[in-house]
Short mmCIF file of all heavy atoms in Angstrom, two decimals:
data_model
loop_
_atom_site.label_atom_id
_atom_site.label_comp_id
_atom_site.label_asym_id
_atom_site.label_seq_id
_atom_site.Cartn_x
_atom_site.Cartn_y
_atom_site.Cartn_z
N PHE L 832 -7.79 -5.68 3.82
CA PHE L 832 -6.72 -5.10 4.62
C PHE L 832 -5.47 -5.96 4.55
O PHE L 832 -4.35 -5.46 4.64
CB PHE L 832 -7.16 -4.95 6.08
CG PHE L 832 -6.15 -4.25 6.94
CD1 PHE L 832 -5.91 -2.90 6.79
CD2 PHE L 832 -5.43 -4.95 7.91
CE1 PHE L 832 -4.96 -2.25 7.58
CE2 PHE L 832 -4.48 -4.31 8.70
CZ PHE L 832 -4.25 -2.96 8.53
N ASP L 833 -5.66 -7.27 4.37
CA ASP L 833 -4.51 -8.16 4.24
C ASP L 833 -3.67 -7.81 3.02
O ASP L 833 -2.45 -7.96 3.02
CB ASP L 833 -4.95 -9.63 4.21
CG ASP L 833 -5.92 -9.92 3.09
OD1 ASP L 833 -6.55 -8.98 2.56
OD2 ASP L 833 -6.07 -11.11 2.74
N LEU L 834 -4.33 -7.31 1.96
CA LEU L 834 -3.60 -6.93 0.76
C LEU L 834 -2.74 -5.69 1.02
O LEU L 834 -1.64 -5.57 0.48
CB LEU L 834 -4.56 -6.67 -0.40
CG LEU L 834 -5.42 -7.87 -0.84
CD1 LEU L 834 -6.21 -7.51 -2.07
CD2 LEU L 834 -4.55 -9.10 -1.09
N LEU L 835 -3.24 -4.78 1.84
CA LEU L 835 -2.44 -3.60 2.19
C LEU L 835 -1.20 -4.03 2.97
O LEU L 835 -0.09 -3.58 2.67
CB LEU L 835 -3.27 -2.63 3.04
CG LEU L 835 -2.48 -1.45 3.63
CD1 LEU L 835 -1.95 -0.55 2.52
CD2 LEU L 835 -3.33 -0.66 4.61
N ILE L 836 -1.37 -4.92 3.94
CA ILE L 836 -0.24 -5.39 4.73
C ILE L 836 0.80 -6.05 3.83
O ILE L 836 2.01 -5.82 3.95
CB ILE L 836 -0.70 -6.38 5.81
CG1 ILE L 836 -1.66 -5.70 6.79
CG2 ILE L 836 0.50 -6.93 6.58
CD1 ILE L 836 -2.25 -6.64 7.81
N ALA L 837 0.31 -6.89 2.91
CA ALA L 837 1.22 -7.59 2.01
C ALA L 837 1.95 -6.62 1.10
O ALA L 837 3.16 -6.74 0.88
CB ALA L 837 0.43 -8.60 1.16
N ALA L 838 1.22 -5.64 0.58
CA ALA L 838 1.82 -4.69 -0.36
C ALA L 838 2.84 -3.78 0.29
O ALA L 838 3.83 -3.40 -0.33
CB ALA L 838 0.72 -3.85 -1.01
N GLU L 839 2.63 -3.43 1.57
CA GLU L 839 3.56 -2.53 2.25
C GLU L 839 4.99 -3.07 2.25
O GLU L 839 5.95 -2.31 2.05
CB GLU L 839 3.10 -2.31 3.69
CG GLU L 839 1.91 -1.38 3.83
CD GLU L 839 1.45 -1.25 5.26
OE1 GLU L 839 1.76 -2.13 6.08
OE2 GLU L 839 0.77 -0.25 5.57
N SER L 840 5.14 -4.38 2.47
CA SER L 840 6.48 -4.95 2.59
C SER L 840 7.24 -4.93 1.27
O SER L 840 8.46 -4.98 1.26
CB SER L 840 6.40 -6.38 3.12
OG SER L 840 5.77 -7.23 2.19
N GLY L 841 6.51 -4.86 0.15
CA GLY L 841 7.17 -4.85 -1.14
C GLY L 841 7.16 -3.50 -1.83
O GLY L 841 7.59 -3.38 -2.97
N ALA L 842 6.66 -2.48 -1.14
CA ALA L 842 6.58 -1.15 -1.74
C ALA L 842 7.94 -0.46 -1.73
O ALA L 842 8.77 -0.71 -0.87
CB ALA L 842 5.57 -0.29 -1.00
N ARG L 843 8.16 0.38 -2.72
CA ARG L 843 9.34 1.24 -2.74
C ARG L 843 9.04 2.52 -1.97
O ARG L 843 9.88 3.03 -1.23
CB ARG L 843 9.74 1.56 -4.18
CG ARG L 843 10.92 2.50 -4.31
CD ARG L 843 11.47 2.50 -5.73
NE ARG L 843 10.47 2.84 -6.73
CZ ARG L 843 10.11 4.07 -7.06
NH1 ARG L 843 10.68 5.10 -6.47
NH2 ARG L 843 9.19 4.29 -7.99
N VAL L 844 7.82 3.03 -2.17
CA VAL L 844 7.37 4.24 -1.48
C VAL L 844 5.92 4.05 -1.04
O VAL L 844 5.11 3.52 -1.80
CB VAL L 844 7.46 5.49 -2.39
CG1 VAL L 844 7.02 6.74 -1.63
CG2 VAL L 844 8.86 5.67 -2.95
N ILE L 845 5.62 4.47 0.17
CA ILE L 845 4.24 4.50 0.66
C ILE L 845 3.87 5.96 0.88
O ILE L 845 4.53 6.66 1.66
CB ILE L 845 4.08 3.72 1.98
CG1 ILE L 845 4.47 2.25 1.80
CG2 ILE L 845 2.64 3.83 2.50
CD1 ILE L 845 4.47 1.46 3.09
N ASN L 846 2.84 6.42 0.19
CA ASN L 846 2.34 7.78 0.35
C ASN L 846 0.98 7.70 1.03
O ASN L 846 0.09 7.01 0.54
CB ASN L 846 2.18 8.48 -1.00
CG ASN L 846 3.50 8.64 -1.74
OD1 ASN L 846 4.49 9.03 -1.15
ND2 ASN L 846 3.51 8.33 -3.03
N ALA L 847 0.81 8.41 2.13
CA ALA L 847 -0.46 8.34 2.86
C ALA L 847 -1.00 9.73 3.17
O ALA L 847 -0.25 10.62 3.56
CB ALA L 847 -0.27 7.56 4.16
N TRP L 848 -2.30 9.88 2.98
CA TRP L 848 -2.99 11.12 3.36
C TRP L 848 -4.01 10.77 4.44
O TRP L 848 -4.81 9.85 4.27
CB TRP L 848 -3.69 11.74 2.16
CG TRP L 848 -4.90 12.59 2.51
CD1 TRP L 848 -6.20 12.31 2.25
CD2 TRP L 848 -4.88 13.86 3.19
NE1 TRP L 848 -7.01 13.30 2.72
CE2 TRP L 848 -6.24 14.27 3.31
CE3 TRP L 848 -3.89 14.66 3.72
CZ2 TRP L 848 -6.59 15.46 3.92
CZ3 TRP L 848 -4.25 15.85 4.34
CH2 TRP L 848 -5.58 16.25 4.42
N ARG L 849 -3.96 11.48 5.57
CA ARG L 849 -4.90 11.24 6.66
C ARG L 849 -5.49 12.55 7.14
O ARG L 849 -4.76 13.52 7.40
CB ARG L 849 -4.21 10.53 7.84
CG ARG L 849 -3.70 9.16 7.51
CD ARG L 849 -4.79 8.21 7.05
NE ARG L 849 -5.72 7.92 8.11
CZ ARG L 849 -5.72 6.77 8.79
NH1 ARG L 849 -4.82 5.85 8.52
NH2 ARG L 849 -6.60 6.57 9.74
N SER L 850 -6.82 12.57 7.25
CA SER L 850 -7.51 13.80 7.62
C SER L 850 -7.96 13.84 9.08
O SER L 850 -8.29 14.92 9.60
CB SER L 850 -8.73 14.00 6.72
OG SER L 850 -9.62 12.89 6.85
N GLN L 851 -8.01 12.67 9.75
CA GLN L 851 -8.55 12.63 11.11
C GLN L 851 -7.60 12.01 12.14
O GLN L 851 -7.57 12.44 13.29
CB GLN L 851 -9.88 11.84 11.12
CG GLN L 851 -10.96 12.44 10.25
CD GLN L 851 -11.45 13.77 10.76
OE1 GLN L 851 -11.56 13.99 11.96
NE2 GLN L 851 -11.76 14.70 9.86
N THR L 852 -6.87 10.98 11.73
CA THR L 852 -6.02 10.25 12.67
C THR L 852 -4.66 9.96 12.07
O THR L 852 -4.47 9.98 10.85
CB THR L 852 -6.67 8.91 13.06
OG1 THR L 852 -6.83 8.09 11.89
CG2 THR L 852 -8.02 9.11 13.73
#
Side-chain angles (χ1 to χ4, degrees):
F832 185 71
D833 57 341
L834 298 186
L835 172 65
I836 298 175
E839 285 177 339
S840 66
R843 177 166 57 83
V844 181
I845 300 174
N846 297 315
W848 153 249
R849 296 301 293 257
S850 59
Q851 299 293 323
T852 61

